């Protein structure tokens, strides 16, 4: 599951979807494929593996357009985004297949391993993709593969993304999608999830208007730094469940990329936080330090001191965002398993809060979030 992808969902059924999918596959020459459902996530997408008569395999993406609220128009005001819903506020792509196609094309043009798109119908939310396999970084590490070399390559792929200034519009094979900025409105939407949803999960938390106002004041300068530093392509869900090991390829291309359709222009530390503050697996402090050192070796032009300060501050914002999303998944959507990830996230947050520059944030949390609510 990719944190942040739980947008406001429509409960309306999608009529005749199975027939529509079968017709799409027949029209594109895949009608004889054996279809195997793959496990899903917290989003509205579904995937199947297509087993072709030749023995090859492909991936079938199904994103019913009616199940998501609208994405953000490039010129929408904050008020218009609020009216449009969560996807527009957070600048999520609403699962749009044209966003996936255009973003995949840009990534592949940088020499990175996004899946090739073999057939698509963006209006109907269907696509057939290259199958990059099942060797997710997370599964390989669970099976005993050394994690540091995998993270070295993950950081190398990030450095490749950060080495070029991305365009304002991504375009590939007829698909066109704006690369919007992770702006202050989107960042505010992110941190407000925490104060909105964690008290619903933890009744011992009581946040009055003064506490919420102080919370907003603390984040204001951090949001401004995040928006001002938004200069690189940001995958947005860059973590071990979305990276596939491709050892037969070379360099940064050994990292297969998934779930990148919500990409934005953002501060370079955002994807580093996604990778190293992984909600689903423990990333040790030593591995975190190793990966950050790797990044600075690959990007020697980066201002190390400033980037570390921003990594702690924006990393903290990212972590409270995910805590808020998981609290929402448990309380609103009835998915209790996400509660089990919260202690790990609190541990990552403690690492960020060791930075003296975040003393005000630490003090606020110590006053308002009791220890028992962090379990």
């Amino acid at each position: 599951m990719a944190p942040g992808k739980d947008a406001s969902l429509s409960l309306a059924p999608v009529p005749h979807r199975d027939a529509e999918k079968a017709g799409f596959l027949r029209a594109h020459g895949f009608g004889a494929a054996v279809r195997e459902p793959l496990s899903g996530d917290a989003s509205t997408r579904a995937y199947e593996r297509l087993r072709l008569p030749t023995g090859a395999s492909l991936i079938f993406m199904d994103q019913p357009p009616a199940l998501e609220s609208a994405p953000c128009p490039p010129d929408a005001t904050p008020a218009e985004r609020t009216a449009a819903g969560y996807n527009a506020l957070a600048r999520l792509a609403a699962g749009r297949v044209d966003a996936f196609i255009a973003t995949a094309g840009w990534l592949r043009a940088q020499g990175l391993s996004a899946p090739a798109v073999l057939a698509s119908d963006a209006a109907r939310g269907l696509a057939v993709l290259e199958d990059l396999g099942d060797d997710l970084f997370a599964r390989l590490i669970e099976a005993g593969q050394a994690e540091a070399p995998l993270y070295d390559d993950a950081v190398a792929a990030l450095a490749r993304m950060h080495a070029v200034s991305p365009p304002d519009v991504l375009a590939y094979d007829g698909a066109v999608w704006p690369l919007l900025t992770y702006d202050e409105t989107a960042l505010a939407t992110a941190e407000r999830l925490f104060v909105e949803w964690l008290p619903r999960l933890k009744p011992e938390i009581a946040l009055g208007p003064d506490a919420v106002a102080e919370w907003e004041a603390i984040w204001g300068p951090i949001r401004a730094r995040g928006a001002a530093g938004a200069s690189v392509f940001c995958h947005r869900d860059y973590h071990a469940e979305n990276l596939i090991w491709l050892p037969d390829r070379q360099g940064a291309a050994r990292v297969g990329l998934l779930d990148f359709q919500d990409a934005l222009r953002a501060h370079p530390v955002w994807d580093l936080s996604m990778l190293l503050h992984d909600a689903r697996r423990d990333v040790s402090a030593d591995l975190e330090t190793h990966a950050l050192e790797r990044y600075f070796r690959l990007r020697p032009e980066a201002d190390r001191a400033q980037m570390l300060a921003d990594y702690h501050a924006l990393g903290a914002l990212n972590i409270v965002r995910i805590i808020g999303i998981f609290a929402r998944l448990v309380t609103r959507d009835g998915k209790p398993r996400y509660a089990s990830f919260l202690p790990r996230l609190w541990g990552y947050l403690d690492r960020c809060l060791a930075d003296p520059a975040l003393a005000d944030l630490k003090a606020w949390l110590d006053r308002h979030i009791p220890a028992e609510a962090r379990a």
Side-chain angles (χ1 to χ4, degrees), residues 187-207:
L187 291 166
T189 301
E191 47 90 355
R192 288 170 186 165
L193 289 166
F194 181 94
V195 292
E196 179 180 0
W197 289 98
L198 189 62
R200 304 188 196 193
L201 178 66
K202 304 287 187 177
E204 62 269 33
I205 298 173
L207 300 177

Side-chain angles (χ1 to χ4, degrees), residues 13-375:
V14 182
H16 312 303
R17 190 67 175 172
D18 287 343
E20 187 174 20
K21 290 161 64 176
F24 170 86
L25 291 174
R26 286 194 302 270
H28 290 280
F30 303 116
V34 176
R35 295 164 57 182
E36 300 174 357
L38 298 175
S39 60
D41 57 22
S43 76
T44 55
R45 287 181 304 281
Y47 294 96
E48 299 174 32
R49 177 163 277 127
L50 303 179
R51 301 287 186 184
L52 304 183
T54 62
S57 65
L58 300 169
I59 299 296
F60 186 24
M61 175 193 288
D62 173 20
Q63 172 61 64
L67 293 185
E68 293 267 8
S69 63
C72 183
D75 56 353
T77 66
E80 290 168 338
R81 288 161 68 179
T82 300
Y86 180 75
N87 278 333
L89 277 170
R91 288 191 157 168
L92 296 169
R96 291 274 293 271
V97 168
D98 41 351
F100 185 96
I101 295 169
T103 306
W106 186 86
L107 288 165
R108 289 171 63 83
Q110 313 314 308
L112 296 168
S113 292
V117 180
L118 283 76
S120 66
D121 186 328
R124 291 194 289 170
L126 299 171
V128 175
L129 313 174
E130 175 187 9
D131 187 355
L132 297 180
D134 294 319
D135 287 337
L136 292 172
F137 280 28
R139 303 291 86 77
L140 294 177
I141 294 168
E142 288 170 359
Q145 187 159 329
E147 60 183 358
L150 294 175
Y151 276 76
D152 282 348
D153 281 329
V155 170
L158 268 189
R160 177 75 63 84
M161 293 179 211
H162 296 177
V164 297
S165 179
D168 293 333
V169 176
L170 305 176
Y172 180 77
D173 196 25
V176 178
W177 194 257
L179 188 70
L180 303 180
T181 297
Y182 213 148
D183 64 358
E184 290 200 49
T185 297
L187 291 166
T189 301
E191 47 90 355
R192 288 170 186 165
L193 289 166
F194 181 94
V195 292
E196 179 180 0
W197 289 98
L198 189 62
R200 304 188 196 193
L201 178 66
K202 304 287 187 177
E204 62 269 33
I205 298 173
L207 300 177
D210 290 345
V212 173
E214 184 183 358
W215 174 263
E216 288 296 314
I218 289 168
W219 288 112
I222 296 172
R223 294 195 305 263
R225 284 160 59 186
S231 58
V232 302
F233 177 93
C234 174
H235 176 294
R236 200 169 183 176
D237 281 305
Y238 197 77
H239 55 80
E241 298 279 352
N242 281 337
L243 305 177
I244 295 179
W245 179 234
L246 303 171
D248 294 336
R249 303 189 186 187
Q250 299 298 314
R254 291 185 294 189
V255 181
L257 304 173
L258 303 177
D259 208 14
F260 44 71
Q261 63 278 343
D262 287 314
L264 293 173
R265 184 190 306 271
H267 195 296
V269 302
W270 194 266
D271 274 343
L272 285 167
S273 173
M274 288 302 305
L275 180 67
L276 303 177
H277 300 143
D278 191 328
R280 290 160 194 76
R281 66 173 311 272
D282 293 327
V283 177
S284 69
D286 286 345
L287 180 59
E288 179 183 32
T289 299
H290 173 89
L292 290 171
E293 290 298 326
R294 166 80 163 161
Y295 183 85
F296 289 127
R297 286 196 300 273
L298 293 172
R299 302 280 292 150
E301 67 276 21
D303 182 331
R304 179 192 178 95
Q306 185 61 57
M307 273 204 66
L308 285 174
D310 290 344
Y311 172 77
H312 297 146
L314 289 167
L317 193 156
N318 186 34
I319 293 163
V320 300
R321 174 187 72 89
I322 300 171
I323 290 173
I325 287 171
F326 286 179
R328 184 174 65 183
L329 283 167
V330 175
T331 58
R332 188 191 71 182
D333 301 333
K335 298 180 177 181
R337 76 182 186 92
Y338 288 97
S340 66
F341 300 136
L342 295 178
R344 179 180 294 118
L345 290 163
W346 283 108
Y348 293 142
L349 186 56
D350 285 341
R351 285 189 210 165
C352 292
L353 295 176
D355 188 331
L358 299 179
D360 288 348
L361 175 59
K362 183 179 186 304
W364 187 96
L365 291 164
D366 289 342
R367 285 197 307 274
H368 296 291
I369 312 297
E372 61 269 22
R374 306 186 191 194

